[in-house]
Amino acid sequence: MTMFKLRPLLLAGLMCCAGVASGQEAPARMETPTMAGIGEGPSAPEPSQRLDAAELEAYVDGVVEAYMKRLGIAGVTVAVVDARGPLLLRGYGIATQKAVPGRVRADATLFRIGSVSKTFTYLEALKLIDAGRLDLDAPVNDYLPEDLALADDGYPPVRIRHLLTHTAGYEDSALGHLFARSPQEALSLHDYVLRHRPRRVREPGLHAVYSNYSLALLGAVLANVSGVPFEALMERELFEPMGMDVTTFREPLGEDDERTASAWLRDMWSEGFKRTQGGFEKQDFEYIAQLAPAGSASSTSVDMARYMRMLLGRGELDGKRILPASAFARLQGEPLFRTAPQATGFAYGFFRKRYGDVRSLEHGGATLYFHSNMVVVPELGFGVFVSTNTDTGVRLAAELPGLLLERYFPAARSDPPQMPAADEGEALAPYLGAYLGERRNYTRSEKLLLSTVVEVGATAGGHLTLSAGGETSRWARLSDDVFASVEGPGRLVFLRDGAGRVSGFVSPGGHDVFDRAGAFEVPGRLYALLALAGLAAVGVLAGAWLRRRRRCADAGGRSSVRWLAFTALAWLLFLALFATAFVQISAAGDAAIFEYPSTLLRVALWAALPALLLTLASVALLWRAWRSKAFGLWRKLRHTLALTAFVLAGYGVWVWNMVGWKL
């Protein structure tokens, strides 16, 4: 899945159980830790040769230990394989904080792998498609029990292929249900799919926009078609045949839950940690059983090495056929979907990312505290899995596979982009501006919390820049509307509307589309409007106080002023409650993800209703102020300007669903 972290307003991206491009996109920019050994490495081995395991071990040790020290990561597990077998299986750091801290063991420490879990769900779907038990182009409703059937909501039917390519058209929703704090809160897959169905907001097959709910639906389809609970199905069809002895979708849920993990597994889980005050603070277990097909799996690097070897063996492991050759041919063929011809595509759920002249099968993932990444390149016979158990581990998980590919395989190295031409800066003008990600909520108040805005700019040297979350990356033009990352692999592909204007771009991972943001679709502008409304409210009430002993002779003007004062009071109340709720959410940190919506936030958003209604009433009475002979022109203008501030803020509140009934 893709995991989310609270950010200064409310969230700084949640992504699950959350997975980011490649399941997990690297930050916009990375300053590589200084360490011996990073840089150009030996040439790629001939097919008959293997990498030098000792040299590989020394290099990976140096990279991992440097990242751990610089970024503050408690524990890491790594597997590196080629088609013949493991090259490196290693654990680093601690898995538990006990009297005697438990060390990470490659064979016996379970890490939460987040959205890497999806790849198992995808493979089982691919097997059923290849066997003719699922039709790629059949409506999903053909394979769901009647009570889970998707309603006809004005869009064409969702088909199986849409669940495999994140193109079903669902809005994003995560707060309050993506993770559960206790086993008692972990719904069954059936109940989750039924209770937490997000709205469809675009036609299926239009854009790839990452969707955890689509994977929950796919898991429900697999369970219904096979007649076996999802967790048991994965064990029977994938984990047991591959000899992945401890990998599981199960969690420690209690003896009365059929999905619970075996007792002997319970001491194998790594704890999740939060980097705090120079140390590591143990966090509670993250329950994802309700959304198991999208992200509840746990594994070791030894088991993940077997999985990657099966993929490198094109469906075969140790002489045993796991995935039919015909099914693997589908997987390694052309992607099922790309939002644009040169964008990263999806091959039956796996990301097909380009490294130089080769393409991967990969997926990343994260929970609140674990970050994982798996990159397999069949063309090179090489695979890497890495997982970290600390909230600071995203960079290491995202970047280690790429470092190894670039070091050992010239074919995986991208040519540096050419320097921009002298006049390139002028040609970049159509691309500049603010863009809003389609991976957001559209119909509820989560919209403000889950939205991502990217600013596209340009350097004096003619590079395009992408800025978000305090990070900036540079991009050089490859061809019309296509840009290559200056710092590493990755392509940025812009989209145009029917009139030929730049309307958006496809994210480098291919799993989201960013549309040009309208005037009211940038959170910063909303906050500016709310601040303006607050200032206007203070001004209105201050003026009313100063004139409290002067009675207006005009009854119409008097009523207009009175209603404007009531409107100002309502806005101040709403703004005070909303600001307090914001401070509370920020102080709660990760806990806010479980507890959303808080009681205070509910009260704050319901308080928006009287502010909106009173604003409408004041607009209706504005003509009385302008007809009043007791008011001078300057007073009428002040009255109108204050009311204009309330109207603009009210429109912003409405656009961002900041009203109580949209919680």
Side-chain angles (χ1 to χ4, degrees):
M1 306 166 146
T2 293
M3 190 68 281
F4 298 85
K5 297 285 183 182
L6 285 174
R7 71 180 171 195
L9 181 43
L10 299 164
L11 262 200
L14 236 109
M15 297 164 255
C16 174
C17 158
V20 212
S22 108
Q24 180 162 282
E25 283 186 348
R29 183 181 176 209
M30 169 60 186
E31 294 180 8
T32 305
T34 302
M35 61 187 81
I38 287 185
E40 292 296 318
S43 299
E46 297 295 328
S48 60
Q49 297 178 330
R50 300 189 76 189
L51 297 179
D52 183 325
E55 194 278 338
L56 174 72
E57 178 181 312
Y59 177 73
V60 173
D61 285 353
V63 172
V64 172
E65 289 167 7
Y67 273 69
M68 291 177 69
K69 182 177 181 180
R70 177 174 175 175
L71 302 178
I73 304 170
V76 179
T77 192
V78 176
V80 183
V81 303
D82 64 14
R84 300 183 188 181
L87 292 166
L88 174 69
L89 300 170
R90 181 66 67 90
Y92 303 85
I94 63 169
T96 61
Q97 273 188 339
K98 299 179 179 178
V100 179
R103 308 296 296 178
V104 175
R105 293 178 52 188
D107 63 338
T109 304
L110 287 170
F111 276 60
R112 310 303 303 279
I113 63 173
S115 281
V116 181
S117 310
K118 289 181 172 70
T119 63
F120 299 117
T121 307
Y122 293 136
L123 285 188
E124 182 57 24
L126 177 56
K127 288 174 62 179
L128 293 178
I129 290 167
D130 192 67
R133 297 181 64 190
L134 281 181
D135 183 344
L136 194 60
D137 291 306
V140 171
N141 281 350
D142 289 358
Y143 303 103
L144 287 173
E146 185 175 347
D147 63 334
L148 293 185
L150 307 180
D152 180 1
D153 51 7
Y155 291 102
V158 175
R159 303 183 185 277
I160 294 296
R161 70 165 56 244
H162 299 140
L163 302 186
L164 289 161
T165 55
H166 297 282
T167 57
Y170 286 110
E171 66 179 350
D172 199 23
S173 180
L175 299 179
H177 58 82
L178 187 66
F179 298 93
R181 174 165 276 175
S182 69
Q184 294 74 30
E185 296 172 358
L187 299 174
S188 68
L189 176 60
H190 177 281
D191 288 349
Y192 183 89
V193 168
L194 190 61
R195 295 185 195 179
H196 293 288
R197 181 166 294 163
R199 296 280 186 89
R200 284 204 286 161
V201 293
R202 69 186 68 84
E203 183 174 338
L206 180 63
H207 290 162
V209 178
Y210 199 87
S211 169
N212 286 311
Y213 185 79
S214 290
L215 265 291
L217 269 182
L218 185 59
V221 165
L222 299 181
N224 192 49
V225 169
S226 66
V228 178
F230 176 79
E231 294 80 6
L233 179 66
M234 294 297 103
E235 291 161 356
R236 185 187 76 184
E237 297 296 320
L238 291 175
F239 299 153
E240 291 173 7
M242 282 191 285
M244 297 176 70
D245 296 332
V246 296
T247 300
T248 183
F249 275 91
R250 300 181 185 274
E251 297 176 339
L253 298 172
E255 299 304 324
D256 58 342
D257 193 319
E258 65 177 9
R259 302 168 297 171
T260 197
S262 300
W264 63 274
L265 285 175
R266 298 186 184 185
D267 290 333
M268 296 180 65
W269 265 290
S270 171
E271 296 169 345
F273 297 100
K274 188 171 185 177
R275 181 70 168 171
T276 304
Q277 297 180 331
F280 303 107
E281 181 180 339
K282 172 193 167 184
Q283 303 298 305
D284 293 335
F285 195 90
E286 300 163 271
Y287 294 96
I288 316 169
Q290 67 278 4
L291 205 56
S296 75
S298 302
S299 190
T300 66
S301 54
V302 165
D303 273 10
M304 291 301 292
R306 295 191 62 78
Y307 181 34
M308 292 189 291
R309 286 178 54 213
M310 184 276 291
L311 293 173
L312 292 176
R314 290 166 171 76
E316 187 174 302
L317 178 62
D318 295 339
K320 186 175 183 179
R321 176 58 61 181
I322 308 298
L323 190 67
S326 54
F328 191 86
R330 290 172 180 256
L331 182 64
Q332 201 179 5
E334 279 301 304
L336 274 177
F337 183 85
R338 302 175 191 266
T339 298
Q342 297 197 59
T344 298
F346 289 95
Y348 292 85
F350 285 77
F351 289 84
R352 296 301 308 273
K353 187 175 178 180
R354 182 174 293 279
Y355 295 85
D357 298 327
V358 298
R359 286 192 299 178
S360 65
L361 292 170
E362 67 179 72
H363 214 294
T367 68
L368 288 168
Y369 310 111
F370 289 82
H371 297 276
S372 305
N373 201 5
M374 180 185 73
V375 177
V376 175
V377 186
E379 295 168 79
L380 301 176
F382 186 75
V384 183
F385 167 77
V386 55
S387 187
T388 71
N389 63 9
T390 313
D391 62 343
T392 54
V394 60
R395 290 185 184 276
L396 174 57
E399 295 167 7
L400 179 62
L403 288 173
L404 295 181
L405 285 169
E406 291 184 6
R407 177 176 175 84
Y408 292 105
F409 299 98
R413 299 171 190 162
S414 301
D415 294 330
Q418 295 182 350
M419 289 298 295
D423 60 349
E424 183 73 7
E426 296 179 7
L428 298 181
Y431 305 105
L432 308 187
Y435 293 79
L436 180 64
E438 289 187 1
R439 191 188 177 193
R440 66 182 188 272
N441 195 280
Y442 287 70
T443 61
R444 308 193 72 80
S445 57
E446 279 183 281
K447 178 178 180 178
L448 181 62
L449 314 185
L450 300 183
S451 293
T452 301
V453 175
V454 172
E455 290 286 342
V456 175
T459 68
H463 287 111
L464 205 67
T465 63
L466 260 66
S467 300
E471 300 278 357
T472 297
S473 55
R474 294 184 301 156
W475 302 79
R477 186 195 296 271
L478 280 181
S479 59
D480 289 346
D481 298 335
V482 180
F483 294 78
S485 172
V486 174
E487 281 82 18
R491 289 188 178 185
L492 191 65
V493 182
F494 282 85
L495 306 174
R496 292 182 180 268
D497 61 19
R501 295 168 298 201
V502 174
S503 59
F505 66 85
V506 184
S507 68
H511 72 309
D512 199 0
V513 169
F514 286 76
D515 302 317
R516 275 203 182 276
F520 288 87
E521 291 184 323
V522 177
R525 294 171 190 167
L526 169 67
Y527 308 146
L529 290 176
L530 294 179
L532 182 63
L535 290 174
V538 169
V540 168
L541 294 176
W545 173 258
L546 293 174
R547 292 189 301 271
R548 67 189 183 280
R549 295 179 181 175
R550 286 182 260 163
R551 181 178 177 82
C552 178
D554 187 288
R558 191 164 58 245
S559 65
S560 182
V561 169
R562 184 182 303 115
W563 281 99
L564 186 67
F566 291 153
T567 302
L569 281 171
W571 273 105
L572 282 182
L573 176 63
F574 164 68
L575 293 172
L577 288 170
F578 182 75
T580 306
F582 158 63
V583 171
Q584 182 190 64
I585 290 172
S586 297
D590 297 332
I593 293 172
F594 299 97
E595 297 168 358
Y596 177 88
S598 68
T599 300
L600 184 56
L601 182 62
R602 286 183 183 276
V603 172
L605 297 194
W606 277 109
L609 181 58
L612 295 177
L613 293 176
L614 287 167
T615 298
L616 293 176
S618 292
V619 170
L621 294 171
L622 178 61
W623 66 275
R624 292 187 176 182
W626 277 93
R627 289 189 59 184
S628 175
K629 295 180 180 179
F631 292 176
L633 177 61
W634 176 230
R635 185 173 181 184
K636 292 176 181 178
L637 288 174
R638 293 201 311 269
H639 186 109
T640 303
L641 288 173
L643 186 52
T644 300
F646 297 151
V647 169
L648 290 174
Y651 184 70
V653 164
W654 187 260
V655 166
W656 286 95
N657 302 323
M658 294 169 57
V659 286
W661 62 91
K662 291 192 175 183
L663 275 166

